[in-house]
Amino acid sequence: MRKSAVGTTLALPTLLTNAKSIRSLLLLALASGGHVHAATICVHSGDVVGLKAALATAEQNGEDDLIEVETGQYYLSDADTLSYYPSVEQRSLTIEGGYSEFFSNPCEVPPSSPDARQTVLDGGHLSLTLPDGAGSINLKSITVRNTVSNNQHSVPVIIGGLANSTGNLYIYNSIFSGNSSLANAAIFFGASSGTLVVQNSLFESNASFAGMSPIGFSGVAINNLCMEVVNSTFTQNASSQPGVRISTPACVALVANSIFWGNSGGDINIGIPAMTSMVNDDLGNLDEAANTQAVNLLSINPMFNPDFSLQDTSPLRDAGSTGNIFFSPGNFDVIGSPRIYGTNPDIGAFEIQDVIFASAFD
């Protein structure tokens, strides 16, 4: 295994180095399905140049890669693109935010829980490509906001596979906010022949000014479960079309414990309803779930706080499903709070942590 850092790195005490190496090896082995070769790359807080360099290294080093991104703000110009395009290798990439220094040693403290607000990519474009063959992408604990595109053929936030990609795409505990496109969708995720998993994530105030859904999810794995959207929130996304479009022409999508509410052109457009199962979701308009395989759907005001977390008295409290063999609500919400705080998970990206008492004497 190899450890590298972008920027100046100080020598670590032997004990910390060994503990770090063991932890990184275990994480990469789990994320990559047991591949032996793994590289860990640290990106210092706010270092956009370092983050670009880390992605460039991961494209061609022949190893599964874990890019540890320290907490902070990463500001990109309109012309900047964070790009990952592995043209020759078939390996997996994990990008995880929330790391911090320990006695000036970079990335030495991993996040104890995934809080997307702590690591922010602001502006520019994000383009991550699944390899042409095996190899997955895992994005964890990151906020992506304020990307803009006015190019007809460019989506400012795009993570997807080439035609022959067989790997999976995982989006965990992340926030996508204020991304916009003048001529296309603002966000597009597609896993080709693998599975797209979006879990415990918030999509708010993204916009398309081209008559397209601001957010597009696609899967094409034939006769398989190719998409899971679980415990996520989609709100205030702007377009003349619904906020989210789900396209699975030949495979099954599972949408559970999620909120689709308050998007200007409608909330959700399901391309093939018969191929979609919806479980314990909250929709602004239940007609948009027509002909899906639906269980316990709601259409009720979520009662959002300004950050789109739920008010203590929200009817979505404890209203989600605990999961089954096909999906799980995960261990943490989008800001790192324990996912189940009560009898069942809350619906949406946030889990209410306060206890409600029946009276002042309880």
Side-chain angles (χ1 to χ4, degrees), residues 74-126:
Y74 295 76
Y75 292 104
L76 292 91
S77 71
D78 290 345
D80 274 335
T81 297
L82 294 174
S83 176
Y84 171 76
Y85 191 93
S87 58
V88 295
E89 67 174 44
Q90 298 179 16
R91 294 290 186 174
S92 294
L93 170 68
T94 297
I95 304 172
E96 182 176 17
Y99 286 80
S100 57
E101 291 186 353
F102 182 74
F103 287 103
S104 298
N105 297 316
C107 294
E108 192 54 39
V109 181
S112 59
S113 61
D115 187 346
R117 302 169 301 179
Q118 302 302 311
T119 309
V120 179
L121 311 181
D122 194 311
H125 301 79
L126 177 66

Side-chain angles (χ1 to χ4, degrees), residues 119-312:
T119 309
V120 179
L121 311 181
D122 194 311
H125 301 79
L126 177 66
S127 177
L128 308 176
T129 304
L130 286 163
D132 196 358
S136 298
I137 292 177
N138 187 343
L139 185 70
K140 302 173 64 177
S141 311
I142 297 282
T143 290
V144 180
R145 70 184 186 193
N146 299 332
T147 67
V148 179
S149 175
N150 57 10
N151 185 316
Q152 181 179 358
H153 304 292
S154 176
V155 179
V157 180
I158 183 167
I159 309 178
L162 299 173
N164 296 316
S165 297
T166 59
N168 302 322
L169 171 55
Y170 304 101
I171 308 295
Y172 290 143
N173 306 89
S174 292
I175 295 173
F176 299 85
S177 173
N179 303 289
S180 63
S181 176
L182 300 180
N184 214 313
I187 297 166
F188 179 82
F189 299 153
S192 296
S193 295
T195 300
L196 166 62
V197 179
V198 178
Q199 185 186 81
N200 292 312
S201 294
L202 169 66
F203 297 76
E204 60 93 2
S205 304
N206 304 288
S208 171
F209 300 99
M212 303 180 67
S213 291
I215 301 156
F217 296 156
S218 176
V220 296
I222 298 175
N223 297 326
N224 288 317
L225 176 61
C226 64
M227 186 182 305
E228 295 183 20
V229 181
V230 181
N231 271 107
S232 294
T233 297
F234 303 84
T235 187
Q236 302 297 317
N237 299 292
S239 177
S240 60
Q241 296 297 312
V244 186
R245 175 172 172 78
I246 290 179
S247 176
T248 53
C251 55
V252 175
L254 173 62
V255 183
N257 296 352
S258 294
I259 301 172
F260 302 86
W261 193 274
N263 302 284
S264 63
D267 293 305
I268 187 170
N269 181 338
I270 300 171
I272 311 291
M275 303 293 287
T276 302
S277 295
M278 303 194 74
V279 181
N280 293 66
D281 298 302
D282 184 37
L283 286 77
N285 181 357
L286 287 177
D287 290 343
E288 295 179 342
N291 301 316
T292 63
Q293 308 301 310
V295 178
N296 297 332
L297 297 189
L298 298 172
S299 182
I300 189 168
N301 189 335
M303 295 177 59
F304 286 131
N305 290 310
D307 65 353
F308 304 109
S309 62
L310 300 176
Q311 297 178 25
D312 289 353

